[in-house]
Amino acid sequence: MKKVLVIDDNPTIVELIKYAVNLQSSFEVMVAYDGEEGLKSVYAENPDCVIIDVKMPRMDGYKLVRCLRGDTRTANIPLIILSAMTREEDQMTGLLSGVDEYLTKPFKPGALNAAIERVLLLTPADRQRRMDYLLQTHAERE
Amino acid sequence: MVYELQRLRRLHILLVDDDPEALQRIQHAVGIDSYLYHARTFLQARQHLAESIPDIVICELKLGKESGLEFCRFIRNTPALHHLPIMFLTTFTTLQDKIAGFNAGADDYVIKPYDARHLMARIRLLTRMKDIEQGDE
């Protein structure tokens, strides 16, 4: 059974995510309630996918994503941000940090499960292509 | 793809590391894509920053007895510098090191050895991200 780690400081949201993911009944769901605890859980549990909130105590979601992408041991774990921050700039920051999908709250269980299925299929080459694309479209040009 | 990347603005990068091999590797990684400035100590790096502000600072976590965390906090507490993107590029791999790095104000934490192309992309995306953040303020 694949392991999904949920990192969110709001217990109510965590329960909603667990409910949504459990609808699939093919994932084991683990939980951490802040960024640092989440980081430790990633190394301890080696999850197949991580769902990350942005605004959390003790390391926000963007930093957590960059931290994981900066270590070859965790660089290719599928990462989804699920955040109440809905502005385009917020989503861009998430994508530039290296997240695979950026979903906003409130969310539909079907959309979350579809995102999980999508990111589980991504390869390191897919991530490199994404990074190249982001460079093309968003990095500064002369 | 190479052709496209050459159109990107050349970044000014300050590397703070006393390891000649680290300097050589990053020179290779940035190629002609950026201007690379090098400091062997955090004191040298501070002197450099007093004269010129780069697009990004890349530094080791510890150089001899000098602390990169302290250097990071110095940048964050200096009004003229506090927006500077800071990346730790380091051999220190423990969770405690990473957490301490981010708590000190780092924006990114990359562990050596690294893939050169991947690193350059992260540098570019980080500088772009900081621009977006500054636009928010």
Side-chain angles (χ1 to χ4, degrees):
Chain A
M1 189 176 277
K2 290 196 181 297
K3 292 190 278 191
V4 173
L5 172 63
V6 179
I7 309 174
D8 196 309
D9 62 328
N10 184 329
T12 306
I13 298 289
V14 166
E15 288 309 309
L16 285 172
I17 296 171
K18 281 170 76 175
Y19 169 77
V21 175
N22 280 331
L23 289 176
Q24 285 289 83
S25 69
S26 56
F27 301 114
E28 176 189 352
V29 182
M30 296 165 297
V31 177
Y33 291 97
D34 65 55
E36 284 186 19
E37 186 191 343
L39 183 63
K40 291 172 185 167
S41 297
V42 170
Y43 283 92
E45 303 291 343
N46 193 25
D48 296 287
C49 175
V50 187
I51 300 170
I52 304 168
D53 185 23
V54 172
K55 287 200 168 179
M56 292 185 291
R58 302 170 73 214
M59 190 179 290
D60 69 39
Y62 298 139
K63 285 182 177 173
L64 178 59
V65 169
R66 293 199 288 275
C67 191
L68 295 172
R69 289 292 184 243
D71 186 340
T72 50
R73 293 170 292 180
T74 54
N76 280 297
I77 294 178
L79 305 177
I80 297 170
I81 278 183
L82 181 57
S83 169
M85 297 166 71
T86 57
R87 296 178 317 157
E88 192 179 336
E89 292 88 340
D90 300 321
Q91 300 190 24
M92 192 49 57
T93 301
L95 293 172
L96 294 175
S97 293
V99 74
D100 295 314
E101 294 257 357
Y102 191 109
L103 303 181
T104 55
K105 300 170 185 171
F107 64 96
K108 290 182 177 171
L112 178 60
N113 282 311
I116 294 172
E117 296 292 348
R118 280 196 299 275
V119 297
L120 286 174
L121 295 174
L122 293 175
T123 65
D126 291 329
R127 291 197 175 85
Q128 186 62 56
R129 274 194 291 275
R130 164 80 65 90
M131 199 171 258
D132 289 339
Y133 173 75
L134 287 170
L135 275 175
Q136 293 303 305
T137 51
H138 296 289
E140 287 179 284
R141 290 172 187 275
E142 291 191 72
Chain B
M1 185 58 65
V2 171
Y3 171 78
E4 286 292 322
L5 291 178
Q6 282 174 353
R7 289 165 49 203
L8 298 171
R9 184 173 74 82
R10 291 179 82 178
L11 295 176
H12 293 253
I13 299 171
L14 173 60
L15 172 72
V16 194
D17 200 321
D18 61 357
D19 177 7
E21 199 177 318
L23 174 62
Q24 205 173 13
R25 278 185 63 87
I26 204 161
Q27 273 173 334
H28 172 72
V30 302
I32 58 165
D33 204 27
S34 300
Y35 301 99
L36 184 65
Y37 306 91
H38 179 227
R40 286 183 177 79
T41 67
F42 291 115
L43 181 62
Q44 276 182 13
R46 286 188 193 214
Q47 288 166 346
H48 179 95
L49 290 173
E51 294 167 9
S52 171
I53 299 179
D55 292 301
I56 184 170
V57 174
I58 300 176
C59 60
E60 245 299 353
L61 195 64
K62 208 172 178 184
L63 296 178
K65 289 182 180 175
E66 286 189 304
S67 165
L69 299 176
E70 202 176 297
F71 177 64
C72 196
R73 282 190 283 266
F74 159 75
I75 290 175
R76 288 290 172 255
N77 292 327
T78 304
L81 304 173
H82 80 280
H83 284 306
L84 258 183
I86 303 172
M87 172 189 284
F88 279 118
L89 181 62
T90 179
T91 54
F92 290 84
T93 62
T94 70
L95 280 177
Q96 288 78 10
D97 290 326
K98 292 178 186 195
I99 290 166
F102 280 107
N103 284 342
D107 298 293
D108 209 343
Y109 193 107
V110 176
I111 292 174
K112 299 173 184 172
Y114 54 85
D115 175 78
R117 184 173 173 221
H118 182 76
L119 179 76
M120 204 52 222
R122 287 177 73 92
I123 290 169
R124 287 225 168 257
L125 295 178
L126 186 60
T127 54
R128 178 66 187 124
M129 196 168 58
K130 292 295 276 190
D131 287 344
I132 292 173
E133 281 178 13
Q134 282 189 55
D136 282 352
E137 292 173 5

